[in-house]
Amino acid sequence: MTPSAFNSMAASSPTTVPTRPVAPAAATLPAEHPLRTGATADSSLLVEYRGGRDAQGRPARPERRPVWFMRQAGRSLPEYRELREGTAMLDACLDPAMASEVTLQPVRRHDVDAAIFFSDIVVPLRLAGIDVEIVPDVGPVLAHPVRTRADVEALPTLDDDAFAPVAEAVRRTVAQLGSTPLIGFAGAPFTLAAYMVEGRASRDHLGPRTMMHADPETWEALAAWAADVSGRFMRAQLMAGASAAQLFDSWAGSVGREDYAAHVQQHSAAALSHVQGLGAPLVHFGTGTSEILDLMKSAGADVVGIDYRLNLAEATRRLGEETPLQGNIDPALLAAGPEALEAHVREVIAAGSSAAGHVLNLGHGVPPSTDPQVLTDLVSLIHRIEDERAA
């Protein structure tokens, strides 16, 4: 798509807002929250997420260039595989001690600048009583897909008390992280609803895309339900001590721009509305979403995550220099050798330099086959580049 065509489409495509009332977020976080005590308020991560500003809104520079990795806690780490042996994925997510330990493992090993809470986007489904499992090498599998209005109307109501194990895991983790911020996360409504309609992972997500047009009322009801549980999942993590949150839309790239604006964006906005106004930066990330980045931002994000397909300089052109970015090292380069990886990382840093803030990350998750030492060395390299720039 040419720049002129993209700009024309951006001008003509509507940006929507939530169409149903959403309970407002609490005015303040708990007094013991690390953002309120100051423990994480001026961390390098949050300074960059705020576009180069400290907690008081004054211009600031981070102590070092911040970096963390999606899926940094998981199968690439031998200590994770040892701890998880014999425990199903969702059981591990809902064991506060285990979830906390897994979250902390990559912080200890790699010296990353943030922890990402170890969980899964379908945890709210399990907490609501829906029969869902994470099947190895398959992903989430639902015993009963949701495909009719009757299916949607039969979905259970999720009580806030159900999030107790999640909140406990967050509190345990934050107590050990000190000045390192914890990032909470949730699946975006489209991705969560897509799993619910298909019953498992899909390459093209024809089911939810068809439902949008063949039965729009059912789609809207399902997406609204997904937005509510995802938003409350994020909120539980933030209220328990997370210093930022990311809404993760794995499959939004399968939806065309017009369909995203008409059938998806308002539900992402509804999910994010649960955690706005708390003072914690909000990140919106999706894969294959280069043509809808502006719509994702206007759904309520402070920071936009960019996958490996789009140069960060072009992302800044589309979103504006005031928008902090996150990304976008190509995961394929992790196995390409140190020289190729370093050259690529330096290119990513240069491309992101015009944005108000830039947090280094991968353009998707850490591949399970990644050598952990490569990630440790990569973090060291990124921090060293920051030192060179400041020298």
Side-chain angles (χ1 to χ4, degrees):
M1 178 180 289
T2 65
S4 59
F6 178 89
N7 291 334
S8 174
M9 182 175 285
S12 62
S13 294
T15 56
T16 58
V17 296
T19 58
R20 63 186 186 89
V22 176
T28 58
L29 295 165
E32 67 276 11
H33 194 284
L35 286 178
R36 294 196 62 193
T37 64
T40 62
D42 287 322
S43 62
S44 295
L45 180 87
L46 267 65
V47 167
E48 289 296 282
Y49 274 171
R50 298 190 198 101
R53 297 195 174 272
D54 64 17
Q56 286 71 45
R58 300 171 300 205
R61 289 191 62 176
E63 292 183 4
R64 61 187 190 179
R65 188 185 300 279
V67 54
W68 67 277
F69 306 112
M70 287 177 281
R71 296 181 187 160
Q72 66 187 18
R75 291 174 290 173
S76 66
L77 300 183
E79 57 265 42
Y80 166 81
R81 294 193 296 270
E82 181 180 354
L83 181 65
R84 266 278 323 275
E85 187 174 359
T87 304
M89 175 64 178
L90 292 182
D91 291 339
C93 293
L94 293 173
D95 179 327
M98 186 175 292
S100 176
E101 171 59 21
V102 174
T103 301
L104 292 164
Q105 286 175 347
V107 180
R108 299 191 195 108
R109 178 185 275 265
H110 301 313
D111 191 30
V112 284
D113 297 286
I116 177 70
F117 184 56
F118 173 73
S119 193
D120 192 271
I121 67 169
V122 299
V123 161
L125 304 188
R126 167 64 71 85
L127 292 176
I130 293 173
D131 188 350
V132 58
E133 295 290 347
I134 306 294
V135 178
D137 301 320
V138 176
V141 175
L142 278 75
H144 306 288
V146 179
R147 294 172 178 166
T148 68
R149 186 56 184 263
D151 292 337
V152 175
E153 291 174 350
L155 289 171
T157 299
L158 180 58
D159 193 294
D160 282 338
D161 292 342
F163 291 114
V166 172
E168 175 61 21
V170 169
R171 284 191 290 266
R172 285 172 176 252
T173 305
V174 169
Q176 297 186 62
L177 281 173
S179 61
T180 301
L182 174 67
I183 302 171
F185 89 103
F190 175 78
T191 290
L192 190 59
Y195 279 124
M196 296 174 75
V197 173
E198 299 282 10
R200 59 178 55 220
S202 166
R203 289 191 303 174
D204 48 26
H205 312 288
L206 286 176
R209 290 164 51 206
T210 298
M211 184 185 286
M212 288 177 187
H213 300 279
D215 192 354
E217 291 185 358
T218 295
W219 168 256
E220 296 300 322
L222 174 59
W225 188 92
D228 182 66
V229 298
S230 281
R232 290 162 61 201
F233 183 39
M234 277 192 296
R235 182 178 173 83
Q237 295 167 65
L238 285 174
M239 296 302 289
S243 295
Q246 175 167 290
L247 192 66
F248 188 52
D249 213 346
S250 306
W251 310 126
S254 68
V255 181
R257 182 178 174 87
E258 294 298 329
D259 279 348
Y260 184 90
H263 302 290
V264 177
Q265 183 193 30
Q266 62 178 316
H267 300 293
S268 290
L272 288 166
S273 72
H274 284 271
V275 288
Q276 288 170 331
L278 293 175
L282 305 176
V283 185
H284 202 173
F285 173 78
T287 57
T289 54
S290 298
E291 303 306 325
I292 57 172
L293 293 176
D294 59 322
L295 302 181
M296 294 174 65
K297 176 186 175 182
S298 62
D302 304 301
V303 182
V304 179
I306 311 298
D307 77 3
Y308 59 89
R309 297 172 178 85
L310 185 70
N311 183 279
L312 292 184
E314 174 60 15
T316 293
R317 188 193 71 78
R318 297 183 182 191
L319 292 169
E321 293 181 359
E322 75 285 354
T323 304
L325 301 180
Q326 181 173 277
N328 66 340
I329 299 166
D330 186 343
L333 271 290
L334 295 176
E339 292 184 1
L341 179 58
E342 177 169 348
H344 174 60
V345 168
R346 290 181 180 275
E347 291 171 356
V348 169
I349 289 173
S353 62
S354 60
H358 179 206
V359 171
L360 268 290
N361 206 310
L362 300 180
H364 202 192
V366 175
S369 60
T370 301
D371 180 350
Q373 189 60 45
V374 171
L375 293 180
T376 301
D377 293 344
L378 177 55
V379 172
S380 178
L381 168 66
I382 289 167
H383 290 160
R384 187 167 71 249
I385 292 173
E386 172 65 21
D387 290 340
E388 292 170 1
R389 186 182 69 171

